[in-house]
Amino acid sequence: MSRKATSRKEAAKRVLVGTAGWSYADWAGIVYPAPRPHGFHEATYLAEFFDTIEINTSFYQPPRVETVRQWIERVAANPRFAFTAKLWQKFTHETGATAADESAVREGFDVLRDAGRLGAVLLQFPFSFHNTPENFARLERLLQTFREYPLVVEVRHATWNQKKFYEMLHTRGVGFCNIDQPVIGRSLAPSERATAPVGYVRLHGRRYDTWFSDDPATPPEERYNYLYSEKELEPWAERVVKVSAHAGTTFVITNNHYQGKAVVNALELIRLLTGKKVKVPEPLRHAYPQLESIASEPSREPTLFPLPPR
């Protein structure tokens, strides 16, 4: 076995790969079976294939305690599984959050943390969030407010690529989110940085034509309608190895979710990291026949005419 393959396999023991979110209408019949069996739940299904999912709904509103408890039950069969969760946009994209808002966020996050299922809380900031003295101070206040959680910061503008910023994260034990995004103008470029015990990588796709589009005729999901090739994923597998060498646990999240592309690329990344074939969702292998070459099991529903990738 080559040294490269060995290092990847060692890293894979500390890497959890999964998708950003699970509730997408366009995944029906592509990722999920259609019709769905009785009692079917998306998180339970995905936990058969992945060891993490990034909770997306927490960005739009704090998750209710009872809902969080149900999520924990849904993934109970996978002891390695840990959720990550995006912080409510009221804190990262808006101003004026109150003490009551902080309390509402903590209610759901505390249930996940106390169950040992909270891997990280992601503070995702928009491209317009530049590194200014005011924003730097605002970020520090937020990190102090939610310091009881394993925090990770995602910024997208290149003004944050500064030693002072990374040192601040390291001092506070806060992770840095390495991202793949269309590099346009002052967009932050790909990186392989770890500043805390939690490592984090997010792949957004490379739709240069729609990433900053404000055309009302362009559906918002088109920003994430991108399928990475193996050639494009290969450098990211190497970056994941380097991040994991300096972190206790590293989360790798694919956010190019349109029509299940995030699921395809997450499976391919697991294959690149472990060197082993992977379990593939049955509907997905028909929508993306290239997965047959990395599938650990033969198809239960063979077809002579597989659907082309969408």
Side-chain angles (χ1 to χ4, degrees), residues 27 93 99 104 114-115 122 139 141 186 199 213 219 221-222 236 244 267 295:
W27 284 18
H93 287 58
D114 294 346
L122 177 70
L139 175 58
R141 289 193 298 270
R186 297 299 306 280
S213 175
E221 61 268 19
E222 279 300 316
W236 274 106
S244 70
L267 291 170

PDB file of all heavy atoms in Angstrom, residues 27 93 99 104 114-115 122 139 141 186 199 213 219 221-222 236 244 267 295:
ATOM      1  N   TRP A  27     -34.941  15.544  -4.434  1.00  0.00           N
ATOM      2  CA  TRP A  27     -34.272  14.286  -4.121  1.00  0.00           C
ATOM      3  C   TRP A  27     -35.208  13.091  -4.223  1.00  0.00           C
ATOM      4  O   TRP A  27     -34.755  11.944  -4.198  1.00  0.00           O
ATOM      5  CB  TRP A  27     -33.671  14.336  -2.711  1.00  0.00           C
ATOM      6  CG  TRP A  27     -32.411  15.149  -2.622  1.00  0.00           C
ATOM      7  CD1 TRP A  27     -31.962  16.084  -3.515  1.00  0.00           C
ATOM      8  CD2 TRP A  27     -31.434  15.089  -1.581  1.00  0.00           C
ATOM      9  NE1 TRP A  27     -30.776  16.615  -3.085  1.00  0.00           N
ATOM     10  CE2 TRP A  27     -30.420  16.032  -1.893  1.00  0.00           C
ATOM     11  CE3 TRP A  27     -31.311  14.351  -0.407  1.00  0.00           C
ATOM     12  CZ2 TRP A  27     -29.310  16.236  -1.079  1.00  0.00           C
ATOM     13  CZ3 TRP A  27     -30.209  14.563   0.411  1.00  0.00           C
ATOM     14  CH2 TRP A  27     -29.216  15.490   0.072  1.00  0.00           C
ATOM     15  N   HIS A  93     -26.412  36.961   9.728  1.00  0.00           N
ATOM     16  CA  HIS A  93     -26.786  37.747   8.554  1.00  0.00           C
ATOM     17  C   HIS A  93     -27.603  38.987   8.913  1.00  0.00           C
ATOM     18  O   HIS A  93     -27.883  39.820   8.044  1.00  0.00           O
ATOM     19  CB  HIS A  93     -27.606  36.895   7.579  1.00  0.00           C
ATOM     20  CG  HIS A  93     -26.793  35.877   6.847  1.00  0.00           C
ATOM     21  ND1 HIS A  93     -26.051  34.909   7.477  1.00  0.00           N
ATOM     22  CD2 HIS A  93     -26.609  35.677   5.499  1.00  0.00           C
ATOM     23  CE1 HIS A  93     -25.451  34.152   6.576  1.00  0.00           C
ATOM     24  NE2 HIS A  93     -25.764  34.593   5.388  1.00  0.00           N
ATOM     25  N   ALA A  99     -31.619  38.375  23.913  1.00  0.00           N
ATOM     26  CA  ALA A  99     -31.320  37.303  24.855  1.00  0.00           C
ATOM     27  C   ALA A  99     -32.298  36.158  24.692  1.00  0.00           C
ATOM     28  O   ALA A  99     -31.942  34.981  24.854  1.00  0.00           O
ATOM     29  CB  ALA A  99     -31.363  37.851  26.286  1.00  0.00           C
ATOM     30  N   ALA A 104     -33.429  30.566  22.762  1.00  0.00           N
ATOM     31  CA  ALA A 104     -34.133  29.671  21.844  1.00  0.00           C
ATOM     32  C   ALA A 104     -33.147  28.794  21.081  1.00  0.00           C
ATOM     33  O   ALA A 104     -33.393  27.596  20.861  1.00  0.00           O
ATOM     34  CB  ALA A 104     -34.973  30.490  20.868  1.00  0.00           C
ATOM     35  N   ASP A 114     -25.952  17.327  24.712  1.00  0.00           N
ATOM     36  CA  ASP A 114     -26.065  16.429  25.855  1.00  0.00           C
ATOM     37  C   ASP A 114     -26.206  14.971  25.430  1.00  0.00           C
ATOM     38  O   ASP A 114     -25.861  14.061  26.190  1.00  0.00           O
ATOM     39  CB  ASP A 114     -27.252  16.840  26.732  1.00  0.00           C
ATOM     40  CG  ASP A 114     -27.044  18.207  27.389  1.00  0.00           C
ATOM     41  OD1 ASP A 114     -25.898  18.700  27.377  1.00  0.00           O
ATOM     42  OD2 ASP A 114     -28.033  18.782  27.886  1.00  0.00           O
ATOM     43  N   ALA A 115     -26.709  14.759  24.208  1.00  0.00           N
ATOM     44  CA  ALA A 115     -26.832  13.397  23.680  1.00  0.00           C
ATOM     45  C   ALA A 115     -25.541  12.931  23.009  1.00  0.00           C
ATOM     46  O   ALA A 115     -25.468  11.793  22.530  1.00  0.00           O
ATOM     47  CB  ALA A 115     -27.989  13.328  22.679  1.00  0.00           C
ATOM     48  N   LEU A 122     -21.903  25.731  13.108  1.00  0.00           N
ATOM     49  CA  LEU A 122     -21.288  26.507  12.033  1.00  0.00           C
ATOM     50  C   LEU A 122     -21.850  27.922  11.997  1.00  0.00           C
ATOM     51  O   LEU A 122     -23.062  28.109  11.845  1.00  0.00           O
ATOM     52  CB  LEU A 122     -21.523  25.823  10.690  1.00  0.00           C
ATOM     53  CG  LEU A 122     -20.990  26.565   9.459  1.00  0.00           C
ATOM     54  CD1 LEU A 122     -19.467  26.531   9.432  1.00  0.00           C
ATOM     55  CD2 LEU A 122     -21.557  25.964   8.177  1.00  0.00           C
ATOM     56  N   LEU A 139     -17.795  39.462  15.443  1.00  0.00           N
ATOM     57  CA  LEU A 139     -17.519  38.031  15.426  1.00  0.00           C
ATOM     58  C   LEU A 139     -17.016  37.572  16.786  1.00  0.00           C
ATOM     59  O   LEU A 139     -17.440  36.536  17.303  1.00  0.00           O
ATOM     60  CB  LEU A 139     -16.493  37.714  14.337  1.00  0.00           C
ATOM     61  CG  LEU A 139     -15.998  36.262  14.272  1.00  0.00           C
ATOM     62  CD1 LEU A 139     -17.162  35.303  14.060  1.00  0.00           C
ATOM     63  CD2 LEU A 139     -14.959  36.102  13.170  1.00  0.00           C
ATOM     64  N   ARG A 141     -17.640  38.806  19.669  1.00  0.00           N
ATOM     65  CA  ARG A 141     -18.770  38.790  20.621  1.00  0.00           C
ATOM     66  C   ARG A 141     -19.618  37.540  20.421  1.00  0.00           C
ATOM     67  O   ARG A 141     -20.064  36.914  21.395  1.00  0.00           O
ATOM     68  CB  ARG A 141     -19.610  40.056  20.461  1.00  0.00           C
ATOM     69  CG  ARG A 141     -18.935  41.325  20.961  1.00  0.00           C
ATOM     70  CD  ARG A 141     -19.937  42.477  21.075  1.00  0.00           C
ATOM     71  NE  ARG A 141     -20.522  42.838  19.790  1.00  0.00           N
ATOM     72  CZ  ARG A 141     -20.008  43.739  18.958  1.00  0.00           C
ATOM     73  NH1 ARG A 141     -18.866  44.365  19.275  1.00  0.00           N
ATOM     74  NH2 ARG A 141     -20.610  44.029  17.814  1.00  0.00           N
ATOM     75  N   ARG A 186     -12.788  38.913  -4.992  1.00  0.00           N
ATOM     76  CA  ARG A 186     -12.160  38.743  -3.684  1.00  0.00           C
ATOM     77  C   ARG A 186     -12.720  37.539  -2.935  1.00  0.00           C
ATOM     78  O   ARG A 186     -12.701  37.522  -1.697  1.00  0.00           O
ATOM     79  CB  ARG A 186     -12.345  40.011  -2.846  1.00  0.00           C
ATOM     80  CG  ARG A 186     -11.693  41.257  -3.421  1.00  0.00           C
ATOM     81  CD  ARG A 186     -10.177  41.134  -3.575  1.00  0.00           C
ATOM     82  NE  ARG A 186      -9.493  40.745  -2.346  1.00  0.00           N
ATOM     83  CZ  ARG A 186      -9.187  41.575  -1.348  1.00  0.00           C
ATOM     84  NH1 ARG A 186      -9.531  42.857  -1.420  1.00  0.00           N
ATOM     85  NH2 ARG A 186      -8.535  41.133  -0.288  1.00  0.00           N
ATOM     86  N   GLY A 199     -12.096  20.154  12.719  1.00  0.00           N
ATOM     87  CA  GLY A 199     -11.788  20.572  11.360  1.00  0.00           C
ATOM     88  C   GLY A 199     -13.062  20.599  10.538  1.00  0.00           C
ATOM     89  O   GLY A 199     -14.016  19.864  10.839  1.00  0.00           O
ATOM     90  N   SER A 213     -25.659  35.509  -9.022  1.00  0.00           N
ATOM     91  CA  SER A 213     -26.742  35.967  -9.892  1.00  0.00           C
ATOM     92  C   SER A 213     -27.893  36.560  -9.081  1.00  0.00           C
ATOM     93  O   SER A 213     -28.308  36.005  -8.065  1.00  0.00           O
ATOM     94  CB  SER A 213     -27.269  34.796 -10.734  1.00  0.00           C
ATOM     95  OG  SER A 213     -28.387  35.203 -11.501  1.00  0.00           O
ATOM     96  N   PRO A 219     -33.605  30.087 -10.836  1.00  0.00           N
ATOM     97  CA  PRO A 219     -34.012  29.449  -9.583  1.00  0.00           C
ATOM     98  C   PRO A 219     -32.837  29.409  -8.602  1.00  0.00           C
ATOM     99  O   PRO A 219     -31.689  29.184  -9.012  1.00  0.00           O
ATOM    100  CB  PRO A 219     -34.414  28.036 -10.018  1.00  0.00           C
ATOM    101  CG  PRO A 219     -34.686  28.139 -11.482  1.00  0.00           C
ATOM    102  CD  PRO A 219     -33.765  29.195 -11.994  1.00  0.00           C
ATOM    103  N   GLU A 221     -31.854  27.258  -6.553  1.00  0.00           N
ATOM    104  CA  GLU A 221     -31.141  25.985  -6.467  1.00  0.00           C
ATOM    105  C   GLU A 221     -30.074  25.832  -7.551  1.00  0.00           C
ATOM    106  O   GLU A 221     -29.185  24.981  -7.452  1.00  0.00           O
ATOM    107  CB  GLU A 221     -32.110  24.802  -6.540  1.00  0.00           C
ATOM    108  CG  GLU A 221     -32.918  24.714  -7.810  1.00  0.00           C
ATOM    109  CD  GLU A 221     -34.260  25.413  -7.716  1.00  0.00           C
ATOM    110  OE1 GLU A 221     -34.434  26.273  -6.812  1.00  0.00           O
ATOM    111  OE2 GLU A 221     -35.139  25.108  -8.536  1.00  0.00           O
ATOM    112  N   GLU A 222     -30.131  26.672  -8.590  1.00  0.00           N
ATOM    113  CA  GLU A 222     -29.132  26.583  -9.646  1.00  0.00           C
ATOM    114  C   GLU A 222     -27.729  26.949  -9.152  1.00  0.00           C
ATOM    115  O   GLU A 222     -26.739  26.557  -9.749  1.00  0.00           O
ATOM    116  CB  GLU A 222     -29.516  27.489 -10.822  1.00  0.00           C
ATOM    117  CG  GLU A 222     -30.542  26.877 -11.760  1.00  0.00           C
ATOM    118  CD  GLU A 222     -30.058  25.576 -12.397  1.00  0.00           C
ATOM    119  OE1 GLU A 222     -28.903  25.517 -12.833  1.00  0.00           O
ATOM    120  OE2 GLU A 222     -30.850  24.610 -12.434  1.00  0.00           O
ATOM    121  N   TRP A 236      -9.191  17.898  -3.014  1.00  0.00           N
ATOM    122  CA  TRP A 236      -9.892  18.114  -1.755  1.00  0.00           C
ATOM    123  C   TRP A 236      -9.695  16.934  -0.810  1.00  0.00           C
ATOM    124  O   TRP A 236      -9.637  17.111   0.417  1.00  0.00           O
ATOM    125  CB  TRP A 236     -11.373  18.401  -1.992  1.00  0.00           C
ATOM    126  CG  TRP A 236     -11.584  19.861  -2.239  1.00  0.00           C
ATOM    127  CD1 TRP A 236     -11.855  20.480  -3.417  1.00  0.00           C
ATOM    128  CD2 TRP A 236     -11.476  20.893  -1.254  1.00  0.00           C
ATOM    129  NE1 TRP A 236     -11.928  21.845  -3.230  1.00  0.00           N
ATOM    130  CE2 TRP A 236     -11.703  22.119  -1.916  1.00  0.00           C
ATOM    131  CE3 TRP A 236     -11.213  20.905   0.110  1.00  0.00           C
ATOM    132  CZ2 TRP A 236     -11.672  23.339  -1.242  1.00  0.00           C
ATOM    133  CZ3 TRP A 236     -11.183  22.126   0.786  1.00  0.00           C
ATOM    134  CH2 TRP A 236     -11.409  23.325   0.107  1.00  0.00           C
ATOM    135  N   SER A 244      -7.200  17.052   8.794  1.00  0.00           N
ATOM    136  CA  SER A 244      -7.433  16.051   9.835  1.00  0.00           C
ATOM    137  C   SER A 244      -6.170  15.750  10.640  1.00  0.00           C
ATOM    138  O   SER A 244      -6.248  15.308  11.779  1.00  0.00           O
ATOM    139  CB  SER A 244      -7.973  14.764   9.220  1.00  0.00           C
ATOM    140  OG  SER A 244      -6.991  14.104   8.456  1.00  0.00           O
ATOM    141  N   LEU A 267     -20.226  10.411  -1.436  1.00  0.00           N
ATOM    142  CA  LEU A 267     -19.859   8.994  -1.565  1.00  0.00           C
ATOM    143  C   LEU A 267     -18.500   8.851  -2.249  1.00  0.00           C
ATOM    144  O   LEU A 267     -17.665   8.022  -1.843  1.00  0.00           O
ATOM    145  CB  LEU A 267     -20.929   8.253  -2.358  1.00  0.00           C
ATOM    146  CG  LEU A 267     -22.286   8.090  -1.674  1.00  0.00           C
ATOM    147  CD1 LEU A 267     -23.319   7.568  -2.669  1.00  0.00           C
ATOM    148  CD2 LEU A 267     -22.197   7.168  -0.466  1.00  0.00           C
ATOM    149  N   ALA A 295     -19.584   1.098  -6.018  1.00  0.00           N
ATOM    150  CA  ALA A 295     -20.617   0.501  -5.165  1.00  0.00           C
ATOM    151  C   ALA A 295     -20.132  -0.814  -4.569  1.00  0.00           C
ATOM    152  O   ALA A 295     -19.557  -1.654  -5.264  1.00  0.00           O
ATOM    153  CB  ALA A 295     -21.897   0.279  -5.953  1.00  0.00           C
TER     154      ALA A 295
END
